[in-house]
Amino acid sequence: MTALPRRRIGRTALDVTELGLGGAPIGGFRVTIPDADAVALVNAAYDAGVNFFDTSPFYGYGRSELRMGAALREKPRASYVLSTKIGRVMRTLRPGETVADLRPNCLPGFAPTFDYTYDGVMRSLEQSHLRMGISRIDVALVHDVDFWTTQDRAVLEERFRTVMDSGFRALDELRRAGVIGAIGIGLNESDTSLRFLQAGDFDCVLLAGRYTLLEQGALADFMPACVQRGASVILGGPFNSGILAGGAKPGATYDYAAVPPAIAERAQRIEAVCARHRVPLAAAALQFPLAHPAVCSVIPGALSIAEVQQNARHMQQPIPPDLWAELVREGLLDPAAPVPA
């Protein structure tokens, strides 16, 4: 096992490696991955020195948690930090029942129901424990209470209020009792994340894709608020769903959709700067967020053992200071953004 640098989650006792593993792909989010391959992928991350693993009931409607548990449950429990999410309780489909928007590659016979209440939190976490076969969950995150998910301001407001009036109480009780080491939120928007931080005592935020080499909109208000409150940022989606992993090539995605022309042009310019300094674009994308004092870990997903190992190598890639300076000069990086030394 390789030793990777570690950072503390907020003011908790949890130390996580700067490189973690996101569990959406092993739930079948984008491609079909056999059970054995998914378990081997998680094991490869562990063998590469990763100690932080994130999953969710929503990833594959339980499939990601099942596979994460299969890989981790026999390992020494103190050797890894495990996070999952609340907000969707899985239910079994009745005979003959069909659901129109079921995702592909999900566990057959199950469907998610949104529930951010006190009871919903408890039920969701109990299901997660049983699916993974692991008796302790270190970090519990409120999942997808953002406009990106709801596409409806009224629904977003209702779910926000349910979390803060009901679900948060369950999370806080579990944290106070020592059942959970940290509580936080896992969202796709920095403004909604900031609203949660201002409304409750959260240890961390898993922010997906909003503080990356491609975009730094979270830098103005959200990131300083995290530093002020002592809340850590776990950076999910550091490749913005793919465009920063392999560049703006045919088939590349941004936020899991086709890449808008302006985004593609910006990514191509960033990649050209990296090429001039002989640095892989993905290496710069992984290392950049960690320069901010609020960030404790970046957690890219992976589709194969090769991708896991490549991410670990990218974390060791030397990057000359001139690369960051050129990005700033070219207007491709916010000059206020901290950069790796």
Side-chain angles (χ1 to χ4, degrees):
M1 182 182 294
T2 304
L4 292 173
R6 300 190 182 196
R7 300 185 183 186
R8 185 67 52 91
I9 295 181
R11 293 184 290 266
T12 74
L14 298 171
D15 289 320
V16 294
T17 47
E18 293 180 347
L19 177 66
L21 179 68
I26 66 168
F29 178 49
R30 287 183 287 167
V31 298
T32 301
I33 301 178
D35 284 341
D37 292 353
V39 171
L41 185 158
V42 177
N43 283 329
Y46 184 87
D47 291 342
V50 170
N51 89 323
F52 185 31
F53 299 87
D54 175 71
T55 184
S56 168
F58 187 54
Y59 302 157
Y61 296 174
R63 193 185 294 276
S64 176
E65 287 189 328
L66 282 169
R67 291 170 163 181
M68 195 72 79
L72 295 177
R73 74 172 66 100
E74 300 300 332
K75 293 177 171 43
R77 187 59 189 85
S79 68
Y80 62 89
V81 175
L82 177 64
S83 66
T84 194
K85 305 180 180 74
I86 63 90
R88 294 177 177 91
V89 175
M90 304 308 298
R91 66 178 182 85
T92 56
L93 298 179
R94 295 181 294 274
E97 180 184 6
T98 59
V99 180
D101 59 349
L102 287 180
R103 288 187 165 195
N105 295 322
C106 291
L107 283 179
F110 296 90
T113 300
F114 284 102
D115 193 341
Y116 294 96
T117 65
Y118 181 101
D119 289 343
V121 169
M122 295 299 192
R123 187 159 54 250
S124 177
L125 289 173
E126 181 179 35
Q127 289 183 355
S128 293
H129 281 295
L130 293 172
R131 269 190 294 268
M132 291 188 285
I134 295 174
S135 62
R136 189 176 86 241
I137 292 168
D138 299 296
V139 185
L141 304 166
V142 177
H143 201 194
D144 284 348
V145 184
D146 50 27
F147 185 75
W148 196 87
T149 300
T150 65
Q151 296 296 302
D152 187 314
R153 294 292 176 188
V155 172
L156 172 56
E157 184 63 26
E158 177 187 4
R159 290 178 183 170
F160 178 86
R161 289 268 51 98
T162 301
V163 171
M164 296 314 305
D165 293 342
S166 184
F168 176 81
R169 183 163 50 88
L171 292 171
D172 191 42
E173 285 181 8
L174 293 170
R175 177 177 57 181
R176 290 175 183 273
V179 176
I180 289 173
I183 64 174
I185 49 180
L187 307 182
N188 300 281
E189 299 162 356
S190 59
D191 56 347
T192 311
S193 297
L194 177 58
R195 187 183 180 196
F196 270 107
L197 279 184
Q198 294 169 336
D201 179 19
F202 291 97
D203 301 299
C204 57
V205 177
L206 198 171
L207 180 66
R210 301 285 77 86
Y211 186 71
T212 69
L213 192 61
L214 191 58
E215 55 182 282
Q216 298 93 51
L219 187 63
D221 298 315
F222 171 70
M223 302 296 276
C226 290
V227 173
Q228 181 182 3
R229 288 166 170 77
S232 288
V233 175
I234 301 159
L235 204 287
F239 300 135
N240 284 112
S241 88
I243 191 169
L244 289 179
K249 299 178 176 64
T253 58
Y254 169 78
D255 281 357
Y256 308 105
V259 184
I263 295 293
E265 189 268 343
R266 184 178 182 88
Q268 288 168 349
R269 292 177 62 199
I270 293 171
E271 186 172 18
V273 173
C274 291
R276 285 196 287 274
H277 293 273
R278 300 181 180 179
V279 172
L281 174 63
L286 284 178
Q287 293 187 36
F288 163 72
L290 288 162
H292 198 287
V295 177
C296 66
S297 187
V298 294
I299 56 166
L303 298 173
S304 65
I305 291 175
E307 287 189 6
V308 168
Q309 294 171 340
Q310 184 178 62
N311 288 337
R313 289 193 299 270
H314 283 331
M315 294 292 287
Q316 306 299 322
Q317 171 74 40
I319 299 180
D322 286 349
L323 182 149
W324 312 113
E326 184 173 348
L327 288 174
V328 172
R329 287 196 304 272
E330 294 290 325
L332 298 170
L333 187 63
D334 190 324
V339 297

